[in-house]
Amino acid sequence: MELRPYYRTIVLSDIHLGTSHSKVAEVSHFLSTVNCDRLILNGDIIDGWHLQKSGVKRWNAEHTRFFKVIMKMMEKCGTEIIYVRGNHDDFLDNLAPLHFSNIRIVKDYTLENAGRRYFVTHGDVFDKVTTEMKWLAKLGDVGYTLLLWLNGFYNRYRAWKGKPYFSLSQAIKQKVKTAVSYISDFETVLVDFARQRQCDGVICGHIHHPENRMIGGIHYLNSGDWVETMSALTEDEQGNWQVVYYADAVRQETADDSMLSVIPVAS
């Protein structure tokens, strides 16, 4: 018997398909081992910026398989797909809003469950750098890509030494005062907007910083990314939210398989 975790809602963001740093195999594996009623793809799923620069050479079979996994979820489980545009996939602005079958493409979304309302947005529209200084955002994206490239070399060395994965950029964000201040300001702006919209919470991505906490009475949720943290947001049947990390999900999957292997078969 296969044990598959069930969630009412799963939120993913910042997969950046079309780049060499996307952990697409991991996110596809994660989705292929769970069931959910609703899957929210909260922006930067496809990295249009990089595809525009490099063409389709960065797109490979694994990236296509990601969408095949989603189509299977729709077919087998009736999963509703809500694709919220982000800044790297802002080419969807020309399509949104669009609703066909059980797929929606939107600029933002309001999730209502168990009497609670959550405003769902990628978050880039609340970031002055991406909205007012797009050239600076793209310059920063080049620097971030370089950091990820260095991070790859560093983690290959760590793997050779038998050490676990370590995110350089996440560590730098936590150490550099301006980066910490940027994250705090971003969270505050989103929380204030959710309050103005009379929502109980806000769900976002964009800054690659997973979070699940209350800020001024508003439930702030960030789904992280699938470039470094490999994280998702999940909502259970009771409406409880949590940040799920791929590494923890794999450990749990391995433990479940080990338990099943020792269950005696009735004769």
Side-chain angles (χ1 to χ4, degrees), residues 8-15 31 36-43 45 66 70 73 79-85 104 106 108-113 118-122 203-205 223 226 231-233 235 241:
R8 187 156 63 184
T9 307
I10 294 176
V11 184
L12 304 174
S13 68
D14 299 274
I15 301 174
L31 287 179
C36 67
D37 295 334
R38 181 189 301 107
L39 174 63
I40 299 177
L41 302 173
N42 199 9
I45 305 303
F66 170 78
I70 290 177
M73 294 173 72
T79 302
E80 180 185 13
I81 309 297
I82 300 160
Y83 194 141
V84 181
R85 54 76 73 199
R104 298 188 194 184
V106 295
D108 55 58
Y109 179 71
T110 300
L111 175 63
E112 299 190 35
N113 266 338
Y118 285 84
F119 178 67
V120 183
T121 174
H122 179 64
I203 300 172
C204 62
S223 51
W226 289 83
S231 58
L233 292 171
E235 180 198 24
W241 288 91

Side-chain angles (χ1 to χ4, degrees), residues 211-234:
E211 191 63 83
N212 175 12
R213 65 191 179 102
M214 298 297 294
I215 303 177
I218 300 295
H219 193 185
Y220 174 83
L221 292 158
N222 191 303
S223 51
D225 69 286
W226 289 83
V227 174
E228 301 167 272
T229 62
M230 291 185 283
S231 58
L233 292 171
T234 61

Side-chain angles (χ1 to χ4, degrees), residues 88-207:
H88 282 256
D89 45 19
D90 56 5
F91 57 86
L92 292 174
D93 283 341
N94 297 322
L95 295 175
L98 178 66
H99 187 190
F100 61 96
S101 186
N102 52 344
I103 300 177
R104 298 188 194 184
I105 299 175
V106 295
K107 294 184 179 181
D108 55 58
Y109 179 71
T110 300
L111 175 63
E112 299 190 35
N113 266 338
R116 292 186 294 179
R117 299 175 75 243
Y118 285 84
F119 178 67
V120 183
T121 174
H122 179 64
D124 61 293
V125 294
F126 297 91
D127 182 350
K128 287 186 177 181
V129 173
T130 57
T131 57
E132 298 177 12
M133 295 176 286
K134 195 169 183 178
W135 65 270
L136 183 58
K138 291 193 174 184
L139 182 63
D141 184 60
V142 172
Y144 182 60
T145 300
L146 176 61
L147 186 58
L148 291 174
W149 180 73
L150 292 172
N151 193 57
F153 278 102
Y154 178 58
N155 275 287
R156 280 194 285 274
Y157 171 76
R158 286 179 63 86
W160 178 63
K161 288 286 188 178
K163 295 181 179 181
Y165 179 87
F166 179 80
S167 173
L168 279 173
S169 69
Q170 289 292 315
I172 289 172
K173 284 179 185 177
Q174 297 302 319
K175 295 291 184 182
V176 180
K177 186 177 180 180
T178 53
V180 174
S181 176
Y182 167 79
I183 292 172
S184 177
D185 291 346
F186 177 82
E187 294 172 344
T188 299
V189 169
L190 275 166
V191 163
D192 288 344
F193 185 81
R195 186 180 291 111
Q196 292 170 16
R197 292 283 293 260
Q198 297 184 322
C199 290
D200 302 287
V202 60
I203 300 172
C204 62
H206 186 53
I207 59 173

Side-chain angles (χ1 to χ4, degrees), residues 206-267:
H206 186 53
I207 59 173
H208 296 203
H209 188 74
E211 191 63 83
N212 175 12
R213 65 191 179 102
M214 298 297 294
I215 303 177
I218 300 295
H219 193 185
Y220 174 83
L221 292 158
N222 191 303
S223 51
D225 69 286
W226 289 83
V227 174
E228 301 167 272
T229 62
M230 291 185 283
S231 58
L233 292 171
T234 61
E235 180 198 24
D236 66 18
E237 291 183 271
Q238 287 71 46
N240 301 309
W241 288 91
Q242 71 175 112
V243 176
V244 173
Y245 292 91
Y246 177 71
D248 295 335
V250 169
R251 279 193 288 269
Q252 185 60 52
E253 182 184 355
T254 302
D256 290 343
D257 288 344
S258 297
M259 285 184 61
L260 287 173
S261 67
V262 298
I263 295 176
V265 179
S267 56

